[in-house]
Amino acid sequence: MRSSLRHTPALLRHARAARPSCRVPLAAAVQSPTLGAPALALALAPASTRASSSSSVNPSEISHFNALAATWWDPHGSSRILHLMNPLRHDFIGTCRASSPTVTSSTPAGQLRYLDVGCGGGIFAESAARLPSTASVTAIDPSPGVLAVARSHAARDPGLTAEKLEYISATIETLPPGGGNKDFDVVTLFEVVEHVDNPAAFLDRCGEFVKPGGWLVMSTIARTWTSWFTTNLMAEDILGVVPKGTHDWRKYINEDELRAHFRGKSGWSSPRVMGVVYFPGLGWKEVRGSEKIGNYFFAVQKNA
Amino acid sequence: MDSITRRRAAAYVCRSCIRRTYTQRHQRTYSSAVQPDIYDVVCVGGGPAGLSLLTALRASPVTSHLRIALVEAQDLSKIQSWKLPPDRFSNRCSSLTPSSALFLDKIGAWDHLARDRIQPYHEMQVWDGVSDARIEFNWAPDAAPSAGTTIAYMTENLNLTSGLLRRLAQLGGVSVFGNAKVENISFGEQTEAQDLREWPVVNLAGGKQLVARLLVGADGANSPVRSFAGIEARGWDYGRHGVVATLELQGQGWGGDQMKTAYQRFLPTGPVAMLPLPGNYSTLVWSTTPENASLLKRLPTKDFVALVNAAFQLSPADLEFMHTQSEGQAEEYSWRSEHTPFHSEIIPQAVTGVQEGTIASFPLKMRHADTYIGERVALVGDAAHTIHPLAGQGLNQGQGDVQSLANTIEYAVNHGQDIGGRLSLEPYLAERYTANHVLMGVCDKLHKLYSVGSGPIVSLRSLGLNAVNSLGPLKTFVMSQAAGHGTKVF
């Protein structure tokens, strides 16, 4: 099965050594430069899981996110735009679930079980656990520093009980699949796939945790000249609104690459996408077509 | 002893052990340890703003699951059962804009107000006491009085609060602490299971402690919640008092029962306003100097009535003289009015009496809090801002705050946000601060503009008033703003 995401580490190393335009098959998917586009693709700092196998977790990415731990929950700190994006994640999941009448939940009140992969300091995991429609959230991350932050922050909210929210120090490879009713209605990978060496294998592994009828939901950044300009050059190097070293532009993945990956797999359908743009002073807004340029959400449903 | 500190001694336990104790805690019940009483929303202050907020939260299916407490110093059951005979009116009234009324209707409270005690008015007469420049806010002659032409609804504050309390009782689900004195507000404690060091704890006299995810200060101009949050309120005193009274007029008004008019005249000492109540009654709001205010409160009824009539009719010089008399204003008014030409239908009908015990006064202030939000704190109503009453916007501003805060909380709940978090509360601040600031600035400037008794400013302001009066579209815009419909600017 052909997938544009199935590049080998060797290929990636080659790509890294060369230029920000990868060889086949990635190069084929690189968007034409969109310089001059009005949109701002802002890379979001925290997200830390990376793994193509349990041994491939990159120590340098982990230490990078450990260093960010202290400011994770500062609403005016370096994670502010990530905090501001969080409500859109729920909106996107809501539209995905509303688009398909399949009832996936096996819990009594129709409540949902979430798995948040690369939970970082727990911005999404906490918010998902607070929703009245949530049965439980399992959140995993391999960075011990950020998990400590996530746990101590959750302890500040007595509503986030152990039943509702559980943090596990793990990668998706070391997490044992539940199977049956233990699988998840929603598996989320927010700002994660761009930090992963072998995204194809990573996505396949994450997909194993989705229950039939459930959704695999992610957000990432399109690999365009605009996103290089805004997320690497402007956000990290010039403006410094995102900590330096957060992003490797060469690992960004385009929306059509994700579509092609899941089209090539049996068992997945109803791909959905939503492009979002950060407007300073206004916040994040959905902008149709912007998934080709910068930040976007993507989701696929596992066939029931 | 502090119920929170008593729960568990603070000792270091590794995270996985905590998780285990956490789980155990849910399996067995403690008989000795007192659980902290944790609420999602603790509202201090049971006035119109606080009660509207809680009613809105209880009425919405999104927020109705929240655990809510109300703390109020007064006896709320007395307010809930408040009742006056049909020919008696409280002296504390507010003009509710149609948008406030719509909001109250949306949360199901409007039907719980005594509707026969509410007086809609459709027209306004506003004029300059020095130059007689006038602006008439009236609708085209063929426009029938309807909800669409209502400028505002005159409502006794007690009618509003008792209606809100009845609606809240109908909805249920709020822990009400009436007759409650707030001893102090502190922060929670850290135990091994949870960290409440950033959570406000309201300590009531008698030892009851309420822990708040979100502490709402609806506790008035001297808000203890605002002090707790370390938020400054800045502004100034006007050196003026507002004198209120319930007046009896010679009739139901020039337009009868169906087309009532509000009157406001700008005098150099401050604006005097007469706002219609049902039947032959009206409510007076007269902003004036503290000396004049104390004279008004001292005067025999007939002299008080004469001075009120004079305030809408005689020249500022006549009025100034009448304020120097310790009594005898009735005689003074009767001969001076004979020699003052005026068109009777552009001023209110003559006042014939004043209801006993309704003359009162209070100092006028302008205050604006530096911010309306803090970590786990939000301020609404007078706790956030105190405004000059000349535009009758104080209570409506509070209702606007509450509507915005309720929407903000609803959004936060729908998106899994911590409703007490500053980030969740930011939209409320962004939506309300500038809007309130602009309106407060306008009212403040109006007060100062009309405090001038002579000179070029009088000509200029009169020119402005006459110009606005002659420009139909602009006037319609101003009326729509006052009525709270049309495109929202303030």
Side-chain angles (χ1 to χ4, degrees):
Chain A
M1 216 171 299
R2 190 182 163 281
S3 162
S4 62
L5 302 184
R6 190 162 291 186
H7 49 81
T8 63
L11 178 67
L12 194 82
R13 272 197 301 277
H14 176 87
R16 276 178 178 166
R19 304 168 63 82
S21 57
C22 304
R23 255 174 44 182
V24 190
L26 264 178
V30 170
Q31 298 276 316
S32 58
T34 49
L35 277 176
L40 263 187
L42 266 192
L44 304 167
S48 52
T49 292
R50 44 174 296 106
S52 55
S53 75
S54 55
S55 61
S56 74
V57 173
N58 186 326
S60 76
E61 287 256 8
I62 293 180
S63 68
H64 173 79
F65 288 107
N66 271 336
L68 294 178
T71 61
W72 210 288
W73 282 97
D74 177 359
H76 297 287
S78 60
S79 303
R80 178 171 170 84
I81 49 176
L82 196 60
H83 283 278
L84 294 176
M85 183 193 246
N86 200 49
L88 268 74
R89 295 165 167 176
H90 292 290
D91 289 340
F92 182 65
I93 294 170
T95 50
C96 288
R97 298 199 69 255
S99 73
S100 148
T102 315
V103 177
T104 63
S105 185
S106 51
T107 49
Q111 292 191 311
L112 304 179
R113 281 165 45 81
Y114 288 82
L115 172 64
D116 187 29
V117 180
C119 62
I123 293 172
F124 175 76
E126 277 198 10
S127 64
R130 273 192 206 98
L131 292 175
S133 59
T134 296
S136 71
V137 176
T138 303
I140 66 169
D141 202 290
S143 306
V146 294
L147 266 194
V149 168
R151 286 182 173 132
S152 85
H153 194 269
R156 297 188 205 173
D157 186 342
L160 298 172
T161 58
E163 290 79 22
K164 281 274 184 190
L165 176 60
E166 183 181 29
Y167 286 111
I168 301 173
S169 177
T171 65
I172 195 69
E173 288 76 19
T174 59
L175 192 72
N181 286 343
K182 285 184 182 162
D183 274 348
F184 296 91
D185 301 285
V186 182
V187 174
T188 53
L189 324 164
F190 289 126
E191 313 307 316
V192 169
V193 289
E194 70 271 22
H195 299 280
V196 165
D197 281 345
N198 188 339
F202 173 74
L203 289 174
D204 290 347
R205 174 68 179 171
C206 291
E208 290 172 24
F209 290 81
V210 181
K211 91 177 31 163
W215 289 86
L216 182 63
V217 183
M218 65 201 77
S219 62
T220 186
I221 313 166
R223 190 176 62 262
T224 61
W225 291 112
T226 309
S227 67
W228 174 79
F229 179 77
T230 55
T231 67
N232 290 67
L233 187 68
M234 291 304 285
E236 291 188 22
D237 296 341
I238 297 176
L239 296 174
V241 295
V242 169
K244 200 163 167 54
T246 295
H247 294 98
D248 182 344
W249 180 84
R250 289 159 297 194
K251 292 200 226 166
Y252 290 4
I253 294 168
N254 290 334
E255 166 256 351
D256 55 352
E257 293 167 331
L258 286 172
R259 273 182 200 273
H261 175 78
F262 286 99
R263 203 184 304 125
K265 306 263 167 203
S266 61
W268 295 96
S269 57
S270 323
R272 294 185 70 86
V273 71
M274 175 171 91
V276 292
V277 178
Y278 180 77
F279 297 97
L282 286 174
W284 290 94
K285 304 284 171 205
E286 180 182 358
V287 176
R288 276 174 205 279
S290 68
E291 63 272 11
K292 308 277 187 205
I293 296 163
N295 295 84
Y296 67 93
F297 289 95
F298 180 86
V300 276
Q301 187 178 24
K302 196 179 236 184
N303 294 341
Chain B
M1 195 180 162
D2 189 323
S3 65
I4 297 165
T5 46
R6 218 168 60 188
R7 288 194 56 235
R8 232 169 255 129
Y12 179 76
V13 185
C14 79
R15 283 287 159 191
S16 57
C17 302
I18 286 176
R19 200 158 289 289
R20 240 173 289 144
T21 39
Y22 221 68
T23 318
Q24 283 165 2
R25 190 160 59 84
H26 291 277
Q27 286 163 352
R28 66 175 210 255
T29 47
Y30 286 102
S31 50
S32 57
V34 180
Q35 295 285 327
D37 208 355
I38 298 176
Y39 288 89
D40 292 307
V41 178
V42 174
C43 179
V44 179
L51 292 175
S52 293
L53 176 70
L54 300 192
T55 305
L57 293 177
R58 291 294 306 148
S60 161
V62 176
T63 49
S64 60
H65 67 283
L66 297 177
R67 204 159 178 260
I68 294 175
L70 168 65
V71 178
E72 164 60 44
Q74 294 188 64
D75 185 347
L76 289 169
S77 60
K78 271 190 192 162
I79 298 172
Q80 190 176 328
S81 57
W82 171 84
K83 210 172 165 62
L84 278 180
D87 58 348
R88 298 277 302 167
F89 290 91
S90 160
N91 59 2
R92 297 306 301 269
C93 298
S94 298
S95 69
L96 286 174
T97 60
S99 68
S100 293
L102 210 63
F103 171 60
L104 290 166
D105 190 43
K106 190 186 136 212
I107 63 176
W110 191 242
D111 286 343
H112 290 263
L113 272 64
R115 299 289 294 279
D116 53 348
R117 303 184 67 86
I118 297 174
Q119 181 60 59
Y121 62 87
H122 306 273
E123 301 196 333
M124 286 194 288
Q125 293 275 356
V126 181
W127 71 104
D128 188 326
V130 178
S131 70
D132 273 341
R134 175 176 292 268
I135 183 161
E136 293 163 310
F137 294 103
N138 45 16
W139 303 93
D142 54 337
S146 69
T149 59
T150 298
I151 293 171
Y153 301 86
M154 284 310 298
T155 312
E156 295 155 290
N157 292 359
L158 278 164
N159 189 4
L160 176 58
T161 46
S162 74
L164 280 165
L165 279 168
R166 281 191 292 276
R167 170 61 174 151
L168 211 48
Q170 182 192 46
L171 288 163
V174 173
S175 305
V176 179
F177 299 89
N179 282 321
K181 184 177 182 298
V182 175
E183 295 261 282
N184 64 69
I185 305 170
S186 57
F187 284 107
E189 308 270 344
Q190 185 177 27
T191 68
E192 65 194 43
Q194 54 194 219
D195 180 355
L196 297 177
R197 285 174 301 171
E198 289 175 2
W199 287 51
V201 181
V202 178
N203 299 286
L204 303 182
K208 181 75 186 165
Q209 292 186 314
L210 313 172
V211 184
R213 180 183 290 280
L214 173 61
L215 175 62
V216 176
D219 45 354
N222 299 315
S223 167
V225 171
R226 193 182 62 220
S227 310
F228 162 76
I231 299 169
E232 289 281 334
R234 296 168 208 277
W236 44 85
D237 297 348
Y238 285 107
R240 292 286 185 279
H241 281 222
V243 178
V244 294
T246 305
L247 307 173
E248 208 177 319
L249 309 189
Q250 68 181 78
Q252 296 194 332
W254 302 115
D257 201 24
Q258 292 305 306
M259 184 64 88
K260 295 255 190 171
T261 304
Y263 299 88
Q264 179 156 282
R265 187 186 191 200
F266 284 94
L267 297 169
T269 45
V272 57
M274 203 189 291
L275 302 145
L277 291 172
N280 294 2
Y281 302 96
S282 273
T283 190
L284 174 79
V285 186
W286 189 346
S287 310
T288 188
T289 63
E291 300 74 38
N292 287 359
S294 71
L295 172 76
L296 283 164
K297 287 194 284 182
R298 274 199 315 270
L299 285 177
T301 304
K302 66 176 173 48
D303 290 328
F304 175 86
V305 165
L307 205 44
V308 171
N309 280 324
F312 286 94
Q313 189 182 336
L314 300 186
S315 74
D318 288 338
L319 278 169
E320 200 177 333
F321 171 75
M322 287 171 75
H323 277 101
T324 61
Q325 299 179 288
S326 58
E327 60 181 314
Q329 279 84 353
E331 294 75 28
E332 194 69 26
Y333 168 69
S334 78
W335 81 262
R336 280 178 191 262
S337 64
E338 284 170 23
H339 301 280
T340 311
F342 63 92
H343 175 31
S344 67
E345 294 208 4
I346 59 173
I347 64 165
Q349 286 186 332
V351 180
T352 54
V354 56
Q355 293 196 342
E356 203 187 325
T358 63
I359 304 174
S361 76
F362 49 90
L364 302 184
K365 296 169 181 191
M366 141 103 183
R367 292 282 188 280
H368 203 183
D370 286 350
T371 179
Y372 302 166
I373 63 169
E375 189 64 21
R376 306 207 172 280
V377 171
L379 305 175
V380 292
D382 288 357
H385 41 72
T386 311
I387 188 173
H388 195 290
L390 67 83
Q393 291 300 321
L395 195 136
N396 295 302
Q397 275 189 311
Q399 294 298 303
D401 294 348
V402 161
Q403 197 168 359
S404 169
L405 182 58
N407 287 340
T408 300
I409 293 173
E410 202 167 282
Y411 183 88
V413 167
N414 269 332
H415 292 84
Q417 291 177 302
D418 183 339
I419 62 167
R422 193 186 278 270
L423 203 75
S424 315
L425 296 170
E426 275 179 8
Y428 164 58
L429 177 66
E431 190 169 282
R432 290 305 297 166
Y433 197 88
T434 316
N436 284 334
H437 199 78
V438 168
L439 187 57
M440 292 172 79
V442 168
C443 292
D444 182 55
K445 302 300 175 294
L446 276 175
H447 165 80
K448 287 176 176 156
L449 190 60
Y450 284 97
S451 302
V452 180
S454 62
I457 289 180
V458 174
S459 324
L460 277 173
R461 76 189 183 205
S462 306
L463 194 67
L465 215 51
N466 285 329
V468 171
N469 198 32
S470 60
L471 289 173
L474 179 60
K475 210 161 73 170
T476 306
F477 168 79
V478 174
M479 284 173 84
S480 301
Q481 286 299 319
H485 51 74
T487 314
K488 240 190 170 131
V489 173
F490 299 134

